Amino acid sequence: MTKVGILGGGQLGRMLLECAGQFPVETYVLENDENCPAHNLCHHFFKGDIRDFETVYSFGKKLDCITIEIEQVNVEALEKLEAEGIRVIPKPSVLKIIRNKIAQKQFYKDHDIPSPDFIITQSRAALKEHINFLPAVHKIGIGGYDGKGVQLLKSQEDITLGFDAPSVLEKMADIDKEIAIMVAVNDNGDTAIFPPVEMIFDPALNLLDYQICPATIASSVIEKATAITKRLVKKFSSPGVFAVELFVDKSGEVLVNETAPRVHNSGHHSIEAISTSQFQMVWQVLLNLPLGSTQLIQPSLMVNIVGAEGHSGPVYYRGLEKLSENPTVFVHLYGKALTKPGRKMGHVTALLNDMTNCTTTAHWIKSTLRAETNPKEK
Ligand code: ADP
């Protein structure tokens, strides 16, 4: 059995472990929180800080292979493990680039990967010198996630909203569609590209509403986006599973927004809708097995189930029974004991015959299945 460790024990780790049983692996998880989603699904759980050098190094030392489910880990420890012959995927050199938005943007620029123009700012005060660059999006270098660490600066008055830390100030793109492409890369540099996923935003709330696959974009744009994605992951020179988020602008140009060097929210539908899921793909890459097919089995939509507004405490999933009657709807609950507004508690994938009623179906799922607190415990 190959001993494989995962840094981080959130829902991505949990879903990796769900399909680990298909592979000859003994699994290890390092995570600070014993009540994390991955705890009960791994063979060996270690409580500890994934950002601490000694903790990550001593965890990794006994393994054959180590991977991540979150970028904010101790890369120096991974570099040492790699130097000592442990298989580290993705490579620490890629993690170093990707975990800092400044380095990531600079990498795109250096390698001619199309991405919105940007300026590096070291402090909030420095924004005053770049009024002419607005409207722009200010993105904190390290530590942002799920839109936290991203601030739209429309005009001079918004400068006080900017980050007082090293950040990138990125030209506002004239976005038509936001898409994401998952891609698996093996040791030989062969790639398996997943069909693009399209993010659908709620126009009133300006928040991600749901995701669909396939994306409803012209085949010429798909080709362009796929070619950019392939070129980008080749430049990373690392095996792994990557999620490349892209903007298609109103003139049909494709720009890379950002990359995650791991499984990703935009690949969840792959469990039911694609021949090989993003999670299976990770094990296949780690074990150097054939990558397998990324063919779309059936069109799908995916919604995140997030904690309902006004509910904080032990979670109660209202409406589960209504969804479970539907044979093409698949519910995934992440095993988080406590809910709070906006916390990702699970997701639902619906397989579709066509893309005509996506919004209605997505809204039906969201209004039916709600992560609330248990009425009996109130
Ligand atoms: P996060 O990693 O926190 O999700 P992103 O960099 O993906 O942050 O940005 C979040 C959202 O902000 C994007 O999905 C997009 O809607 C918007 N956004 C980010 N960068 C730009 C840009 N340059 N132009 C226009 N909108 C942007």
Side-chain angles (χ1 to χ4, degrees), residues 101 139 145-147 150 170-171 173 175 178 247 257-258:
K101 281 200 172 161
K139 300 184 177 183
Y145 67 97
D146 282 351
V150 173
E170 199 178 274
K171 260 278 176 237
I175 300 175
E178 295 196 34
F247 300 138
N257 173 26
E258 61 174 351

Side-chain angles (χ1 to χ4, degrees), residues 198-267:
E198 180 177 341
M199 283 79 168
I200 311 287
F201 287 82
D202 183 319
L205 302 172
N206 200 21
L207 276 178
L208 178 66
D209 195 2
Y210 60 94
Q211 291 169 182
I212 57 172
C213 186
T216 56
I217 50 176
S219 55
S220 60
V221 177
I222 291 185
E223 277 166 30
K224 215 187 290 184
T226 305
I228 292 170
T229 300
K230 266 194 185 169
R231 198 153 63 76
L232 171 58
V233 293
K234 284 237 179 313
K235 303 277 183 207
F236 284 138
S237 306
S238 168
V241 168
F242 298 86
V244 182
E245 294 181 46
L246 307 116
F247 300 138
V248 179
D249 76 10
K250 298 227 166 91
S251 63
E253 278 314 303
V254 177
L255 302 164
V256 172
N257 173 26
E258 61 174 351
T259 307
R262 53 164 170 79
V263 284
H264 193 258
N265 200 88
S266 59

Side-chain angles (χ1 to χ4, degrees), residues 126-353:
L127 283 168
K128 285 196 221 89
E129 295 155 32
H130 304 296
I131 306 294
N132 294 342
F133 203 71
L134 307 183
V137 185
H138 205 212
K139 300 184 177 183
I140 199 156
I142 293 181
Y145 67 97
D146 282 351
K148 297 175 184 75
V150 173
Q151 180 63 50
L152 172 62
L153 305 179
K154 282 194 197 137
S155 62
Q156 193 160 357
E157 292 77 64
D158 294 338
I159 277 185
T160 48
L161 303 173
F163 301 106
D164 200 13
S167 304
V168 291
L169 183 65
E170 199 178 274
K171 260 278 176 237
M172 178 100 174
D174 194 12
I175 300 175
D176 181 25
K177 305 233 161 170
E178 295 196 34
I179 61 171
I181 301 185
M182 301 294 311
V183 52
V185 185
N186 71 9
D187 283 12
N188 299 332
D190 303 327
T191 52
I193 302 242
F194 286 73
V197 168
E198 180 177 341
M199 283 79 168
I200 311 287
F201 287 82
D202 183 319
L205 302 172
N206 200 21
L207 276 178
L208 178 66
D209 195 2
Y210 60 94
Q211 291 169 182
I212 57 172
C213 186
T216 56
I217 50 176
S219 55
S220 60
V221 177
I222 291 185
E223 277 166 30
K224 215 187 290 184
T226 305
I228 292 170
T229 300
K230 266 194 185 169
R231 198 153 63 76
L232 171 58
V233 293
K234 284 237 179 313
K235 303 277 183 207
F236 284 138
S237 306
S238 168
V241 168
F242 298 86
V244 182
E245 294 181 46
L246 307 116
F247 300 138
V248 179
D249 76 10
K250 298 227 166 91
S251 63
E253 278 314 303
V254 177
L255 302 164
V256 172
N257 173 26
E258 61 174 351
T259 307
R262 53 164 170 79
V263 284
H264 193 258
N265 200 88
S266 59
H268 289 350
H269 69 292
S270 64
I271 298 172
E272 289 88 10
I274 308 274
S275 304
T276 309
S277 82
Q278 61 168 347
F279 302 103
Q280 288 171 309
M281 206 57 105
V282 169
W283 298 108
Q284 288 167 187
V285 169
L286 296 180
L287 300 173
N288 215 2
L289 296 171
L291 290 179
S293 164
T294 52
Q295 186 165 325
L296 185 68
I297 297 173
Q298 203 170 326
S300 66
L301 71 80
M302 196 283 300
V303 296
N304 290 318
I305 302 302
V306 300
E309 281 304 320
H311 292 260
S312 293
V315 66
Y316 169 73
Y317 294 103
R318 186 188 296 282
L320 260 182
E321 65 291 347
K322 292 191 195 124
L323 287 193
S324 62
E325 288 161 10
N326 192 316
T328 55
V329 169
F330 301 88
V331 178
H332 297 258
L333 303 177
Y334 300 154
K336 298 179 184 176
L338 302 176
T339 185
K340 61 179 178 187
R343 186 176 194 201
K344 283 182 187 161
M345 301 300 290
H347 76 261
V348 176
T349 298
L351 298 181
L352 309 168
N353 289 324

